[in-house]
Amino acid sequence: MPPVASPSILVLPSPFFSDSDTIRLLESPDCDTDWVLRQVVSGAYDKPFVIDDGATRTLHFSLSLIQSSMSLKDPFRLELDYTQAMMSFLLFLHRPKNILMLGLGGGSLAKFCYRHVGSARISVVEIDPRVIAFRDEFELPRDDARLLVIEGDGADEVIRSGQAEDKPDVIMMDAFDRHGLSGSVSSTHFYKTVYDALAGRGVMVANLAGEKNDRIEHLAMIADVFDDRVLSIMLPDGNDIVLAFRAPGFDPRWREIANQAKALRARTGLDFPKFAERLERSRRLRYL
């Protein structure tokens, strides 16, 4: 069977901002461009698209929400606060060997880990082939011995990983569609499969966004499955970053973590001391 051709990417002048901006769409060159752009503006367009303003390239499922953002000057930099905060797992697990990511988006986290997290193997599962089709637009490296992008359901891949001999040290969950958190990751059963899939000292990192009640519900499920070994960072933009730890003896040594945070800041440029302070505060508040 011949290989399936990748969807074509149509580049048009953006209808939103300055004349120099462009919008990138998974459409054929002979489509009705006026109709497509009207669909995007009205919110009826049901495919991911990319807006480029000459300095930043952003992935959207709708105009109201940015799913991923990339600086054209520094494509490997983490632009969004929530992606930076998700990297705080490095405060507790310095040299992960195996990272599983649920949700690709623009590949920001995959690229950052590829550059900064030693020789870790990174597997990224994305259910929507239309998101994967934009990987070159976001300068995600080609698949190799360290990086693999898989088209499939993240929940199924978690189960498969749990049956493998080399279990993930880190599972990063950023699994959203245009309606919010994907349904396949929205149950206590799912979080139990994550717990079972992690290596002995493994960490789950989850980005919880959307309605407050939904975030509270997910946090309660995570705390139940991980026996309250949970830390969190609440961000002003409405994202909650949750770290959950598999090891029953989890007992963070905050002075050592503070020193590690300074070293990580020097190496990566991210404000790890701020993350450490917020995580320690969340630990104290949970036990007052």
Side-chain angles (χ1 to χ4, degrees), residues 77 130 149 215 243 254:
R77 186 174 71 200
R130 300 171 301 182
V149 176
R215 286 181 278 135
L243 278 66
W254 293 109

Side-chain angles (χ1 to χ4, degrees), residues 29-271:
D30 60 352
C31 71
D32 183 341
T33 57
D34 289 339
W35 181 85
V36 169
L37 292 176
R38 286 197 301 271
Q39 292 283 70
V40 173
V41 172
S42 70
Y45 192 68
D46 63 354
K47 300 177 187 178
F49 57 93
V50 171
I51 294 177
D52 188 323
D53 66 5
T56 302
R57 192 168 289 171
T58 52
L59 176 69
H60 297 255
F61 293 152
S62 68
L63 284 177
S64 60
L65 290 175
I66 294 175
Q67 297 298 322
S68 190
S69 180
M70 181 185 77
S71 163
L72 294 175
K73 185 177 180 180
D74 186 358
F76 280 75
R77 186 174 71 200
L78 291 176
E79 290 287 290
L80 301 180
D81 288 345
Y82 90 87
T83 58
Q84 296 181 21
M86 288 185 76
M87 292 305 304
S88 59
F89 75 83
L90 288 173
L91 293 166
F92 307 92
L93 197 60
H94 306 162
R95 296 180 181 85
K97 297 178 180 179
N98 187 352
I99 300 173
L100 173 62
M101 297 183 178
L102 311 184
L104 174 65
S108 301
L109 287 165
K111 288 189 298 184
F112 191 86
C113 288
Y114 189 81
R115 173 165 289 184
H116 292 288
V117 187
S119 58
R121 296 192 310 279
I122 305 157
S123 301
V124 190
V125 188
E126 172 56 56
I127 197 169
D128 191 342
R130 300 171 301 182
V131 171
I132 297 174
F134 282 118
R135 66 178 291 169
D136 289 345
E137 302 298 310
F138 287 94
E139 302 187 28
L140 185 67
R142 295 288 85 199
D143 288 358
D144 60 18
R146 289 190 53 222
L147 175 65
L148 178 63
V149 176
I150 304 164
E151 181 186 333
D153 190 302
D156 293 339
E157 188 63 22
V158 167
I159 294 172
R160 191 204 65 77
S161 296
Q163 297 167 346
E165 182 176 343
D166 186 13
K167 293 186 174 185
D169 303 294
V170 181
I171 296 179
M172 305 185 76
M173 191 182 89
D174 191 18
F176 289 88
D177 55 29
R178 63 186 286 117
H179 306 293
L181 276 165
S182 173
S184 66
V185 302
S186 298
S187 69
T188 298
H189 172 73
F190 165 74
Y191 288 114
K192 182 64 167 63
T193 64
V194 170
Y195 178 92
D196 292 338
L198 284 167
R201 298 184 63 80
V203 183
M204 182 195 76
V205 189
N207 172 35
L208 304 182
E211 297 294 330
K212 182 177 180 180
N213 288 342
D214 291 341
R215 286 181 278 135
I216 291 173
E217 182 180 3
H218 274 262
L219 182 57
M221 290 188 286
I222 294 168
D224 180 52
V225 169
F226 285 82
D227 197 22
D228 213 30
R229 295 186 295 275
V230 175
L231 303 174
S232 62
I233 299 175
M234 291 183 289
L235 299 173
D237 60 6
N239 293 64
D240 292 344
I241 305 305
V242 178
L243 278 66
F245 301 84
R246 193 184 196 283
F250 173 67
D251 185 17
R253 299 177 179 180
W254 293 109
R255 183 171 298 178
E256 294 179 12
I257 289 170
N259 291 332
Q260 174 71 7
K262 294 174 184 177
L264 284 168
R265 179 174 59 188
R267 181 161 64 85
T268 68
L270 298 185
D271 195 353

